[in-house]
Amino acid sequence: MSESAPMFDLTPTEEEFMTREVMRRFAAEEMAPKARAADEAASLPDDFLQKTVELGLNFMPVPEALGGVGAGYQPISNTLTIEDLAQGDMSMALAVLAPLAVINTVMKWGSSAQQARVAQTLLVDQFAPAAIALLEPGLSCDPANLSATAQQQSDGTWHLSGKKSLLPFGPDAQLLLVFAKAVSTAGESLGTRGFLLAPSLAGCSFAREQYMGLRPLPLYAANFSDVALPADAVLTDSFDLEEFLSLSRIATAALAVGTCQSVLDYVKDYVNERVAFGEPISHRQSVAFMVADMATELEGLRLMVYRAASQAEQGLDCSRMAFLAHRHAIKVGMKTGTDGVQLLGGHGFTREHPVELWYRNLRALTILTGLVVA
């Protein structure tokens, strides 16, 4: 076995096992039963976000000195949590995980002052929205060559300008981590950097966006017009864009695993209960093989995601496996959603069953980079 492909143990630790029990119960009781109504209303349930505070997710990676649990950098645990919450509902999961993405990123690449600010703002008794602004409007977005720019001034401060899309919470966020192409006072590119700011600053404006999926999640288009930021708003020089993107790809793939598992569980029961011509339709070879293919593809994807997360937690280069897992997640997500609708026949086109909702959410996998971070 080469060093680039280390073995990894799939047995969860006792702590991971207990955490999964909590997350799965929360997803089954507080998310899945409310997903349809939330989708219809294009709004999160009134009390949902506050209930998520009891999960304590934001406290896990933060050092004890800053009021957190001090669990540190845990890509595997984060990946399992993302999968379990997505099995309840992808939109609600993204809402819960958006602040955690900011926390994970700042705790890994932020200064001590930025870490203290994040902890003080987000580790509170009331749910505190926060989000990462990476994606930009247009046909494609290259994180290594963003249109948004942050120009450094002679006194070390920054002026941020540019547009962003798919930004959770928008003006309601307590903190935003906005990524832009940093430019030095001499006009030299410093690469993609993250800037921590409050959306209430002068020059920030937002407009609610609507999509075919993720309807309950409040997503905004943002415009930053010459927003003045202090010198210490930028993440430290240690920030690694490729590693950040890899961790986001792992997290996005975990969202796919959880949602696809919901589809598989539902259609498996449906084809066993749906009777046509005197027998369950699962007795037909074409139906049984389609369900078997869904299960096979999903299990393969799950293993790829776990392996990428394991490499990240071991401090190894996970970029290749994260990219492959993300790419496969998009493929498996599209096929699972499509086949799920197909297996329900005419019922798959109706809103009576949740499969069409999962299908619409799975279509978003290609555009979620940066919203979640393992």
Side-chain angles (χ1 to χ4, degrees):
M1 180 68 69
S2 67
E3 293 183 1
S4 62
M7 299 293 288
F8 65 103
D9 187 1
L10 293 178
T11 306
T13 64
E14 183 178 353
E15 181 179 342
E16 289 169 348
F17 179 82
M18 291 188 297
T19 300
R20 296 205 79 175
E21 289 279 295
V22 173
M23 297 303 160
R24 287 173 171 174
R25 183 167 60 250
F26 185 84
E29 296 176 359
E30 299 293 341
M31 299 174 71
K34 302 176 181 179
R36 171 59 72 188
D39 184 77
E40 296 285 356
S43 177
L44 296 168
D46 292 338
D47 59 347
F48 171 71
L49 292 177
Q50 184 55 34
K51 287 183 178 180
T52 67
V53 176
E54 299 175 6
L55 298 175
L57 293 176
N58 292 352
F59 290 81
M60 298 302 294
V62 180
E64 292 183 20
L66 296 177
V69 173
Y73 182 57
Q74 292 187 311
I76 294 177
S77 292
N78 290 339
T79 297
L80 296 176
T81 292
I82 293 167
E83 175 188 338
D84 292 338
L85 292 179
Q87 195 166 343
D89 180 68
M90 186 189 291
S91 298
M92 294 185 190
L94 284 167
V96 179
L97 298 166
L100 183 60
V102 174
I103 293 172
N104 284 338
T105 305
V106 173
M107 291 301 148
K108 187 169 180 62
W109 290 294
S111 66
S112 57
Q114 290 168 342
Q115 292 174 0
R117 180 185 180 186
V118 166
Q120 183 179 15
T121 305
L122 302 183
L123 302 191
V124 291
D125 293 336
Q126 298 293 317
F127 180 84
I132 291 176
L134 172 68
L135 299 171
E136 297 181 341
L139 295 177
S140 63
C141 173
D142 180 4
N145 188 28
L146 295 171
S147 296
T149 59
Q151 177 69 56
Q152 190 176 33
Q153 307 300 299
S154 58
D155 61 355
T157 60
W158 301 86
H159 282 192
L160 172 69
S161 295
K163 298 180 183 296
K164 296 292 179 179
S165 61
L166 283 163
L167 175 59
F169 301 117
D172 297 323
Q174 298 292 315
L175 285 175
L176 296 178
L177 183 57
V178 183
F179 284 90
K181 179 171 65 177
V183 181
S184 70
T185 54
E188 299 174 342
S189 174
L190 303 176
T192 299
R193 303 292 292 275
F195 296 83
L196 198 63
L197 59 96
S200 58
L201 291 175
C204 301
S205 60
F206 305 88
R208 180 74 185 262
E209 295 180 304
Q210 297 289 345
Y211 295 91
M212 68 175 285
L214 306 179
R215 285 171 48 80
L217 182 66
L219 292 170
Y220 288 82
N223 182 52
F224 302 100
S225 179
D226 202 27
V227 179
L229 300 174
D232 61 358
V234 63
L235 294 181
T236 63
D237 293 339
S238 65
F239 175 71
D240 187 327
L241 177 62
E242 186 56 44
E243 185 178 0
F244 168 80
L245 293 175
S246 294
L247 293 174
S248 181
R249 287 170 181 142
I250 294 171
T252 302
L255 287 172
V257 172
T259 307
C260 288
Q261 186 66 58
S262 292
V263 177
L264 176 61
D265 291 344
Y266 193 88
V267 300
K268 184 171 59 177
D269 290 341
Y270 180 89
V271 299
N272 282 323
E273 295 170 1
R274 176 69 170 172
V275 174
F277 302 103
E279 63 179 0
I281 62 173
S282 60
H283 290 186
R284 300 183 182 183
Q285 196 174 70
S286 60
V287 171
F289 282 4
M290 186 178 291
V291 176
D293 285 345
M294 291 170 66
T296 303
E297 292 291 334
L298 174 56
E299 198 59 33
L301 172 61
R302 180 178 278 113
L303 291 174
M304 292 178 71
V305 175
Y306 289 0
R307 181 179 174 191
S310 176
Q311 289 179 345
E313 186 147 321
Q314 295 177 65
L316 302 173
D317 181 6
C318 66
S319 57
R320 177 180 179 274
M321 185 52 61
F323 178 83
L324 294 176
H326 182 249
R327 185 175 182 274
H328 195 50
I330 294 173
K331 176 184 176 182
V332 172
M334 296 301 96
K335 189 174 189 304
T336 299
T338 300
D339 288 351
V341 171
Q342 185 71 17
L343 283 166
L344 266 66
H347 286 163
F349 191 67
T350 70
R351 301 175 75 86
E352 177 186 353
H353 297 271
V355 180
E356 63 85 25
L357 186 158
W358 295 324
Y359 168 81
R360 287 186 284 111
N361 287 343
L362 286 166
R363 297 289 297 182
L365 290 173
T366 58
I367 56 173
L368 294 181
T369 303
L371 268 69
V372 282
V373 179

